Amino acid sequence: MTATPAQALLLASMLFALGLLGVLVRRNLLFMLMSIEIMLNAAALAFVAAGMRWHAADGQVMFMMILALAAAEAAVGLAILLRLHAAGRPTLDADTGNRLKG
């Protein structure tokens, strides 16, 4: 059974809303990064659904570009988290970011 573009867009919007809720509710930086990844995957799924609707490969091309962006975002985000942990930051709470010195 294949999914219709409307079903894929519904799933993409639900995933995006879940990711947005995770960014707004959770204060842990690691969970916020994972929520942003969910939002990027939802956007990629929407592009694939649009490509499926119009029978074009543009959706898959945009999907590959979004995956590359998500990989770079994850690498940079985790590097920042590791740097903060190595500097002696006791928590990954996003609200303590305004207390950075140096």
Side-chain angles (χ1 to χ4, degrees):
M1 183 170 123
T2 60
T4 64
Q7 291 171 334
L9 284 176
L10 178 66
L11 178 62
S13 63
M14 288 175 16
L15 281 174
F16 193 86
L18 181 68
L20 183 64
L21 183 70
V23 168
L24 294 176
V25 172
R26 299 299 299 246
R27 300 312 310 162
N28 188 326
L29 289 175
L30 189 60
F31 283 108
M32 290 174 79
L33 280 175
M34 290 190 323
S35 296
I36 291 171
E37 291 290 329
I38 291 173
M39 291 169 64
L40 284 172
N41 284 330
L45 179 61
F47 276 113
V48 170
M52 182 172 55
R53 164 67 177 89
W54 287 294
H55 303 291
D58 297 342
Q60 285 81 5
V61 171
M62 287 302 297
F63 178 78
M64 295 303 290
M65 292 176 68
I66 289 173
L67 278 183
L69 174 74
E73 178 260 337
V76 170
L78 289 175
I80 291 171
L81 286 178
L82 286 174
R83 175 65 179 105
L84 291 173
H85 181 68
R89 188 169 175 186
T91 181
L92 292 178
D93 188 18
D95 292 332
T96 62
N98 62 353
R99 295 185 215 136
L100 295 176
K101 296 178 184 173

